[in-house]
Amino acid sequence: EPEVTQTPSHQVTQMGQEVILRCVPISNHLYFYWYRQILGQKVEFLVSFYNNEISEKSEIFDDQFSVERPDGSNFTLKIRSTKLEDSAMYFCASSGEGGNQPQHFGDGTRLSIL
Amino acid sequence: AQSVSQHNHHVILSEAASLELGCNYSYGGTVNLFWYVQYPGQHLQLLLKYFSGDPLVKGIKGFEAEFIKSKFSFNLRKPSVQWSDTAEYFCAVTGPLSGAGSYQLTFGKGTKLSVIP
């Protein structure tokens, strides 16, 4: 079964540094998402991406965050100047045609900010 | 705004016991409902989904869930759990927030299920 893949599995970064989290969605999927889960808290929506642009974003997704689909396969989340509170598990997801198709998740990237 | 409540933080059961995990959501419009499972060290996997039609939906691994619109509930059930069902279970909702183009999932906090052999 096709999978969403995320790299790296664990990223440790100094506060204030930029970090890029990478995702390869399922190849024929059209909708792409980032979620995060701070330890002990809910999985929270960050942003969705469709047709090469952001379609929705949450209040968490401020100017520090950006997303990009630099080529036909990768979908990246960049955090420009990381803060301690950005430490979390970040999940990428993708879904097929039609917004109510089930989302398929990657294994996540654990981001630790020191 | 939508919200999802899962009533139990941690449920411990013996093998062969029956399972019911509660889920309530707040959004009053048309919703799509999901249960995801996360086995230790693995990614979130879809267990089952409800979009419309029969309110009793069957998923993988013997799980089922019942959508009760009047109670805003979508409880997950399994008649007889196995040790391999040990995992964290997440209820999630989508609603058409801004028309075509995106259906963000709103998750509950999750319920950790431990099944004792």
Side-chain angles (χ1 to χ4, degrees), chain A residues 10 30 53:
Chain A
H10 192 187
L30 301 175
E53 60 183 25

Side-chain angles (χ1 to χ4, degrees), chain A residues 37-48:
Chain A
Q37 186 179 27
I38 294 171
L39 191 62
Q41 297 186 26
K42 291 186 185 190
V43 177
E44 301 170 291
F45 169 77
L46 291 178
V47 66
S48 60

